[in-house]
Amino acid sequence: SEGAMMDNRFATALVIACVLSLISTIYMAASIGTDFWYEYHTLAPAENVSEAGRSIWEEFVSKDADEKTYTDALFRCNGTVGLWRRCITVPKNSHWYSPPETDMTTNCISFSLSDQFVEKYIEPGNHNSGTDLNRTYLWRLQFLLPFVSIGLMCFGALIGLCACACRSLYPAIATGVLHFLAGLCTLGLVGCYVAGIELLHRKLPLPEDVRGEFGWSFCLACVSAPLQFMAAALFIWAARTNRKEFTLLKAYRVA
């Protein structure tokens, strides 16, 4: 009966670890796929845009839009930024003759793969000011780390499935270690994103009538990291304790 009780404890720990792992994977995938990592709230967006809405929009979506151009548009038009896309809110009809509209629409444009790896300049928008290595590498890391994190968790899940098929708890340690590494990657991602935003706002300070804040996509990534660490701890605890119990039981039987 003691053995059964111990088995129940391991089974419970593993089930909780799997649930935490699943939730953190869903959160991570949702945060990568959504555009609310950082949000700008403009106090008077409608009149701002009706003055020069069409030109702002055309500059925002153009292939040549540099960092300064699209950041200014984000400031002026209630912009939101994700890891993959940037969005601004503009009136549906930006014609000069139409009255200022309350009918607003959100338009987004994706960062291309080359945008993710492009150099950032010491003065945003000024190609002659030299490369800002800190911001360039922070941006590249914030693009790569979430995929490494999800990859590690999926690999951990595969090892876990093999462990179930083989009815062995030893691979649970490997799954735990992979989840721990995934948690470190997620923490790194959050750190890189915060540092990147801080450095950008030092170069391009927010206008007085604009407020910036981290959005819910960013919060999902923040929640995902502790869930990964908790899952890792449970996987490793279950495997290690079970190994100890098994060794003690064997010694007892031999005796």
Side-chain angles (χ1 to χ4, degrees):
S1 70
E2 203 174 301
M5 200 174 81
M6 289 307 295
D7 283 347
N8 283 347
R9 260 175 45 200
F10 299 134
T12 309
L14 289 173
V15 167
I16 294 170
C18 291
V19 170
L20 290 175
S21 170
L22 183 66
I23 293 170
S24 67
T25 308
I26 292 167
Y27 280 7
M28 202 66 217
S31 79
I32 293 174
T34 49
D35 310 319
F36 296 90
W37 278 71
Y38 202 83
E39 302 175 29
Y40 296 100
H41 299 287
T42 318
L43 300 183
E47 62 238 43
N48 261 351
V49 178
S50 46
E51 290 163 26
R54 182 56 66 199
S55 65
I56 288 179
W57 173 241
E58 279 166 4
E59 283 174 3
F60 186 72
V61 297
S62 100
K63 282 207 160 47
D64 309 322
D66 60 37
E67 194 180 23
K68 185 174 184 341
T69 309
Y70 73 69
T71 304
D72 284 344
L74 290 168
F75 287 167
R76 292 176 66 182
C77 307
N78 279 334
T80 61
V81 193
L83 296 182
W84 277 95
R85 297 203 306 175
R86 53 185 191 264
C87 304
I88 55 174
T89 304
V90 288
K92 276 204 170 137
N93 303 315
S94 304
H95 302 305
W96 59 271
Y97 52 80
S98 62
E101 290 206 33
T102 48
D103 198 8
M104 307 294 273
T105 175
T106 299
N107 293 320
C108 298
I109 181 153
S110 297
F111 290 108
S112 67
L113 205 55
S114 58
D115 286 339
Q116 300 285 13
F117 290 96
V118 80
E119 290 178 353
K120 305 282 179 194
Y121 299 106
I122 290 170
E123 288 174 33
N126 179 359
H127 296 221
N128 302 321
S129 60
T131 306
D132 186 333
L133 286 175
N134 285 347
R135 291 196 315 114
T136 301
Y137 284 103
L138 284 170
W139 186 278
R140 289 174 187 177
L141 280 170
Q142 82 186 27
F143 162 66
L144 292 169
L145 283 173
F147 293 108
V148 176
S149 175
I150 282 192
L152 287 168
M153 286 203 295
C154 292
F155 190 47
L158 265 178
I159 292 176
L161 284 174
C162 296
C164 287
C166 307
R167 295 179 171 237
S168 158
L169 261 183
Y170 295 127
I173 288 187
T175 304
V177 169
L178 287 170
H179 275 71
F180 180 74
L181 293 173
L184 287 179
C185 286
T186 307
L187 266 189
L189 157 70
V190 168
C192 286
Y193 195 82
V194 172
I197 286 283
E198 284 300 315
L199 290 172
L200 174 66
H201 288 166
R202 269 186 216 165
K203 303 284 167 79
L204 296 173
L206 289 172
E208 279 179 15
D209 62 341
V210 175
R211 191 166 51 82
E213 62 185 16
F214 291 101
W216 58 266
S217 304
F218 174 81
C219 296
L220 284 180
C222 291
V223 172
S224 187
L227 291 177
Q228 288 163 334
F229 287 130
M230 283 152 65
L234 283 168
F235 278 126
I236 292 168
W237 174 83
R240 280 184 63 86
T241 318
N242 191 50
R243 183 179 285 186
K244 248 185 229 161
E245 289 294 320
F246 185 67
T247 315
L248 283 172
L249 202 65
K250 225 153 98 177
Y252 177 72
R253 280 201 181 139
V254 169

